[in-house]
Amino acid sequence: MITTPNFIPFTPQQFHDAKHADLAAFPESRGEQLKRSGSELEWTDHHVTIRGNQFFDQYESRGGTAIDFVRKYYDASFPDAVQMLLGQNIAAAPVEPRQRERPEFKLPEKNDNMRRVYAYLLKQRYIDRAVLDHFAHKHLIYESADYHNAVFVGADEQGTPRHAHKRSTASQGSWRANQAGSEAAHAFHHIGTSGVIYAFEAPIDMLSFISLYQKDWQQNSYVALCGVSDEALMHQLSAHGNIKDVFLCLDNDQRNLHYVVDIDIKGFFDNVSHGKLLKQMWTLGIQEKKLLSIISAMLKAEVAGIGFPEKGTAQGGVISPLLSNRPVLKP
């Protein structure tokens, strides 16, 4: 461990420069290998993602600034970390997101058959053949010619491919990455006609869920985030106003507990079903009939100029936000 005196009179500007240092330059200057994944860099040996002056440890579900990074991974004290960052003459990372020119997006070259992809998804991941056939026939899943990876394609509303997620088909392989130039908002998905959408971390998670719950599955909507961004989910909610119910089907493990999605569902308070709401309250254990009668009366209270509502909760009503918590998570 490097040791220095406990007190070093750093100036406010020096503190600022160290805290906002372009974090990727520091480990790279020490020979570490970083791999780009969308708008982030991955320090794969340590399960750490880096963006600008921020890092996040996926196993420990916590992160911090450039100073915190040097203290944690280079066993440095606070003064040492500041000095190390300043001594590297590393430029400060911009406060605003860096405007990088997006690489041109191009789908990986297709193999002339899908034998390895079918063998992997059917025999190792137990995806239902009919489900796999559906996406393969739409050219949303195929096998790459170079490494025989499974490629999961995401298209925009006009059907133009905008995103590709690649997954190794090797029996012991876990490699996966997004194709350079992919637009996160258009990651692998299926959009149905119902008001329900299910969000998953990876395309295989999505296909596994559909394989388990196949009845009328095409009526619902599904999206794979293909990373740590919520852009794909938020885009589909914005593009399809009929979607009212959102299910977050994310892994409950320490590595992935950092997913947080903030959702504003358009027109929710105007459209929530009274019957569904009261039924779910009963299922929750709220079975006091007098209380349910009072809530029902509040929901159906006459609105001046409109009459007696058949759906929705009172705009501005003190109980409306509380009542919204349950049906927003259940169909």
Side-chain angles (χ1 to χ4, degrees):
M1 178 188 296
I2 301 173
T3 58
T4 57
N6 291 330
F7 176 76
I8 299 177
F10 295 115
T11 66
Q13 184 61 47
Q14 287 175 317
F15 274 125
H16 178 276
D17 291 346
K19 184 177 180 180
H20 293 86
D22 191 353
L23 186 48
F26 189 86
E28 286 179 335
S29 70
R30 284 161 167 72
E32 301 288 354
Q33 297 296 314
L34 303 181
K35 180 179 69 175
R36 180 159 297 283
S37 177
S39 60
E40 300 178 322
L41 292 168
E42 294 184 1
W43 191 14
T44 53
D45 290 342
H46 294 75
H47 308 287
V48 169
T49 55
I50 294 174
R51 180 185 294 180
N53 72 316
Q54 300 285 326
F55 79 94
F56 190 88
D57 189 310
Q58 297 183 29
Y59 275 176
E60 297 185 4
S61 296
R62 63 179 182 179
T65 67
I67 296 176
D68 301 319
F69 178 88
V70 175
R71 294 186 67 187
K72 177 176 177 60
Y73 297 106
Y74 290 87
D75 197 21
S77 66
F78 186 90
D80 291 334
V82 174
Q83 282 195 318
M84 291 168 74
L85 288 164
L86 294 177
Q88 285 293 129
N89 295 317
I90 298 173
V95 175
E96 296 297 326
R98 288 176 288 179
Q99 299 298 317
R100 290 189 297 268
E101 183 178 350
R102 182 189 297 275
E104 180 184 1
F105 174 72
K106 184 179 180 181
L107 285 172
E109 184 179 351
K110 292 183 179 180
N111 193 35
D112 57 6
N113 64 70
M114 293 181 60
R115 284 196 291 267
R116 294 194 188 183
V117 166
Y118 262 74
Y120 172 70
L121 293 178
L122 295 178
K123 297 180 180 179
Q124 295 189 42
R125 306 311 296 264
Y126 303 102
I127 304 302
D128 182 80
R129 179 178 286 274
V131 173
L132 178 53
D133 285 344
H134 172 87
F135 288 97
H137 291 162
K138 290 181 174 291
H139 306 289
L140 297 178
I141 298 178
Y142 68 89
E143 184 174 317
S144 68
D146 50 5
Y147 300 107
H148 301 283
N149 294 317
V151 180
F152 302 91
V153 180
D156 61 19
E157 284 68 35
Q158 288 71 46
T160 303
R162 301 289 187 186
H163 188 283
H165 181 76
K166 300 174 290 185
R167 178 64 161 84
S168 171
T169 57
S171 59
Q172 301 299 322
S174 60
W175 179 87
R176 54 189 176 273
N178 294 326
Q179 180 76 348
S182 291
E183 298 178 31
H186 298 290
F188 185 69
H189 64 275
H190 167 84
I191 300 299
T193 57
S194 78
V196 176
I197 190 168
Y198 300 87
F200 303 86
E201 293 179 23
I204 291 179
D205 296 340
M206 171 179 150
L207 296 174
S208 298
F209 181 87
I210 295 173
S211 297
L212 290 171
Y213 302 97
Q214 292 188 50
K215 184 179 180 181
D216 301 325
W217 73 265
Q218 294 185 43
Q219 296 180 12
N220 298 322
S221 298
Y222 311 83
V223 61
L225 303 181
C226 297
V228 298
S229 171
D230 63 359
E231 287 185 54
L233 174 59
M234 303 312 294
H235 174 78
Q236 300 305 336
L237 291 175
S238 175
H240 304 281
N242 64 305
I243 297 177
K244 308 297 180 183
D245 298 313
V246 180
F247 288 78
L248 303 180
C249 308
L250 308 178
D251 291 349
N252 185 26
D253 57 39
Q254 290 301 314
R255 181 175 180 178
N256 295 294
L257 288 178
H258 58 276
Y259 285 91
V260 177
V261 180
D262 183 16
I263 300 171
D264 181 13
I265 300 179
K266 183 179 179 180
F268 170 79
F269 290 110
D270 296 327
N271 296 289
V272 64
S273 167
H274 292 172
K276 181 186 297 184
L277 174 58
L278 293 171
K279 181 180 178 180
Q280 289 172 353
M281 292 182 67
W282 181 275
T283 302
L284 273 172
I286 304 173
Q287 300 178 358
E288 175 57 51
K289 294 182 179 180
K290 185 174 182 179
L291 174 60
L292 293 175
S293 295
I294 293 173
I295 293 175
S296 179
M298 294 176 67
L299 291 171
K300 300 183 182 301
E302 184 176 7
V303 179
I306 298 178
F308 296 94
E310 296 182 356
K311 62 181 180 178
T313 60
Q315 290 289 342
V318 294
I319 200 172
S320 294
L322 177 62
L323 295 178
S324 74
N325 285 339
R326 191 58 186 174
V328 76
L329 296 177
K330 292 288 183 181

